[in-house]
Each structure stands twice: as C-alpha cells, then as structure tokens.
C-alpha cells in the first residue's frame, strides 16, 4: 500500500478522505503548522518532511504557492498530485497511479478540474443515453456537447463560512424589525440579498462600483473609513461582514493606510444611535497581517476597539459550522491556514 502525505488539513482534505483515498495516510503537511497532530497523525512543516513516502496529495486552495515551494525545496514533482487550482495538469502525470490513489469519486473530480473528459464517465453516459433516447430533437450531437464533470459526486450546495455568517446576521436584523439598515462591503449575493428579500431598505457603502440597481438597495461608492456621508448618532442598524479586515491594504483600490480599519471602528461607534446595533465579522485567530489579503484579529482586539458598545454575542464560523457564544481568548493561537475562522460580533450601543 502506497504511503501518502496530504498537504492540507481543511475542508478539501476532509472531503477527499470521505470520498476515499486508496493508500496509507502517514501524515499531513502544513505550510505553517499550527499543531503537532491532526486526526491522530503527525503534522509536518515543509522543513521536516519524513524521508519515506510515496506521494503527496495537495488538498489545499493555495496550490500555486505550494507548487513554488515544491520547486524551491526540490521535492520531486513526480510524487506530487495537485487536486485543483492550477491552470494545467502538473506534477504526477501517471494517470493509472492517480486513479488508483484517489479512488473513483476523487478521480472524477480531478478529471473535471483539468478537463480530462476523455477518461471519465462521460462517454459511458453518452452511450447509455443514446441507447435509451427516442426523441430526435434531444439526440446528442457532438457540436452541442457541453461536458460538466465536477458535479457528479458533488454535494447539494455549500454551507461554508459565508453561508453561516450571512444567515447569522440576517436572522437578527430581520427579527429586529428595522426598516432601514446600513452595510459596509458585505456580500451582495448572500447577506444583502437576504435583507432585500425581507423588503428592508439597505444603504450599502463600498469603494467598488455596484453592478446594477435593485429595489430597496441604496448605494454609496466611497471609502468607508471615515463614514463622512453619515450623520453622527443616526444609524439604528449597521453591518460589516468580512470587509473591514481589508481596509487600507490597497487590495480593492483603496489608499494604503495601516490604521484604516481602526479608524472605521471608531467612526462606526460615532454613527450609531442609542440602542443601535452593529453586526460584525472578521477573521480571528493569532493576530497578524497577511498582506495584501487581510488582517487576522484577536477577538479581544475587536472587543477592545469597540469599547463604547456592549458586546452581546461573540460566535464563530469555521469548517462549515457555527459555534455560538465562544470565550474571547479561545482561538488566540489559531493559525487555521487556508480555512479561516470568522468571528461574529453583535454589539449594542447603550
């Protein structure tokens, strides 16, 4: 039985194991290890890989970064199977080995990722369909074939961290009965859509242009650091879900300012009226900046920077689940590479 190392400990790694890996998993690799064990196996850093292994399966969303690391560390690419994220098939090219190690479900996903439809289930399904079909207009014609390969074994949708944070905040806001809500940079196609469906008027501030107009949505294109567009003490309800951690890093065309998010923290408190509520989500864990993507905060840092407000709830979304009423310092040492933990903060202004 082949000895396998899996590069990653997040949702992708969990999924491929549930689908069935055909080999002995002897350990896991993390670019920046945050623990010694995972599922009872050793977690290795890139500087201390075991001497004896047959293949590495990269089950991680940072594929290009890992590809570069493999080259720098002279890891044999013939021993590395990249499951996703590359523009073309790289690493191990022995399809018999790949199929054997990944098992049927993972192999179909792999083929779908790299457009290898000629070696998938597709031709068998075409043959079966042609034998059964009696409708001329729905006869398969080669010029109209549109291969979809990645969904045969996919789950029925995704309940990821965004799903849980959007649902968490929307339920509170809708239940509160407010008719006018302000938002800074949250997801249009998730959280904002929930509020619009409840016919709540939403004023959304974002440094980026908005794609279209929709009923009940009012938009302000501006840097929301200072919130100068809004009068002090005027807001009853405001949210910022996975947005403020990006402020001042230039990622979205905003000016470079290391203090931008902290300035926004101060100004949100000024804009809230008495009894007003803030719904906030940011990555939490071991405090750091991962330039130019985002900041990761200690939960206590967030609480301290909103000290004029009362913290009613601190919960967390991670690994496709939600954990309610978490102790503030529980995840202070969490690196959680590639699968971030979102802190969900609900504040009230007394």
């Amino acid at each position: 039985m082949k000895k396998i190392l899996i590069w990653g400990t997040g949702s992708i790694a969990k999924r491929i194991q549930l689908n069935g890996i055909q080999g002995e998993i002897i350990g896991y690799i993390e670019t920046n290890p945050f623990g010694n064990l995972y599922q009872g196996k050793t977690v290795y850093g890139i500087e201390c890989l075991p001497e004896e292994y047959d293949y590495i399966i990269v089950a991680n969303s940072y594929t290009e970064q890992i590809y570069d690391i493999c080259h720098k560390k002279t890891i044999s690419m013939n021993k590395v199977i990249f499951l996703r994220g590359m523009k073309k098939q790289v690493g191990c090219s022995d399809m018999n080995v790949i199929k054997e190690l990944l098992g049927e479900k993972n192999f179909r996903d792999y083929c779908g990722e790299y457009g290898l439809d000629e070696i998938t289930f597709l031709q068998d399904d075409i043959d079966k369909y042609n034998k059964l079909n009696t409708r001329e207009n729905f006869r398969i014609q080669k010029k109209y074939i549109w291969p979809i390969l990645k969904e045969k074994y996919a789950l029925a949708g995704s309940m990821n961290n965004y799903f849980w944070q959007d649902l968490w905040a929307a339920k509170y806001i809708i239940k509160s009965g407010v008719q006018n809500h302000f938002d800074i940079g949250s997801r249009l196609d998730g959280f904002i859509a929930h509020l619009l469906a409840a016919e709540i008027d939403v004023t959304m501030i974002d440094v980026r242009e908005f794609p279209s107009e929709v009923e009940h949505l009012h938009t302000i294109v501006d840097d929301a650091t200072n919130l100068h567009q809004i009068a002090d003490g005027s807001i009853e309800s405001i949210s910022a879900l996975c947005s403020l951690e990006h402020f001042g890093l230039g990622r979205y065309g905003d000016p470079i300012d290391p203090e931008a998010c902290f300035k926004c923290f101060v100004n949100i408190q000024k804009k809230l009226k008495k009894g007003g509520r803030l719904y906030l989500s940011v990555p939490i864990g071991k405090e750091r900046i991962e330039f130019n993507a985002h900041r990761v905060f200690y939960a206590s840092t967030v609480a301290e920077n909103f000290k004029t407000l009362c913290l009613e709830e601190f919960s967390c979304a991670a690994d496709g689940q939600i954990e309610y009423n978490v102790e503030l310092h529980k995840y202070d040492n969490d690196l959680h590479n590639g699968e971030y933990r979102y802190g969900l903060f609900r504040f009230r202004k007394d």
Side-chain angles (χ1 to χ4, degrees), residues 171-232:
K171 286 172 68 175
Y172 277 122
I173 294 165
I174 293 169
K175 189 176 180 179
S176 75
V178 298
Q179 294 302 305
N180 295 283
H181 178 78
F182 283 77
D183 179 81
I184 304 171
S186 302
R187 284 207 314 162
L188 271 172
D189 60 346
F191 170 64
I192 300 300
H194 297 338
L195 301 186
L196 297 179
E199 299 188 340
I200 295 172
D201 281 299
V202 178
T203 299
M204 189 173 180
I205 308 170
D206 201 298
V207 73
R208 300 164 294 183
E209 295 287 339
F210 290 86
S212 185
E213 295 183 3
V214 63
E215 188 178 7
H216 294 292
L217 179 63
H218 314 282
T219 59
I220 299 173
V221 178
D222 200 358
D223 181 350
T225 300
N226 297 308
L227 297 175
H228 60 84
Q229 315 91 339
I230 302 166
D232 289 355

Side-chain angles (χ1 to χ4, degrees), residues 248-262:
L249 305 185
R251 173 174 171 176
Y252 294 110
D254 51 323
I256 298 297
D257 182 357
E259 291 298 307
C261 67
F262 299 101

Side-chain angles (χ1 to χ4, degrees), residues 17 38 61 66 99 105 127 199 237 257 291 298 337:
Q17 289 176 85
Y38 178 74
S61 57
I66 292 171
K99 185 173 184 178
K105 291 184 178 181
D127 293 340
E199 299 188 340
S237 182
D257 182 357
F291 196 86
Y298 289 135
N337 297 293

Side-chain angles (χ1 to χ4, degrees), residues 1 27 63 97 101 133 139 168 251 272-273 285:
M1 182 175 286
T63 312
V97 168
L101 294 180
N133 179 53
R139 177 175 56 86
W168 170 83
R251 173 174 171 176
L272 274 173
K273 63 171 62 173

Side-chain angles (χ1 to χ4, degrees), residues 34-54:
F34 62 88
N36 296 321
L37 292 175
Y38 178 74
Q39 295 190 358
K41 304 286 186 179
T42 301
V43 177
Y44 296 95
I46 55 177
E47 304 294 342
C48 56
L49 298 183
E51 291 185 5
E52 293 187 10
Y53 65 87
D54 293 303

Side-chain angles (χ1 to χ4, degrees), residues 35 83 86 90 105 110 127 162 212 215 232 238 260 266 285 307 309 313 331 333-334:
L83 293 184
M86 300 300 290
V90 295
K105 291 184 178 181
Y110 178 89
D127 293 340
Y162 288 117
S212 185
E215 188 178 7
D232 289 355
I238 188 170
V266 171
K307 59 187 177 183
L309 307 182
E313 178 187 347
Y331 294 112
N333 293 313
D334 184 18

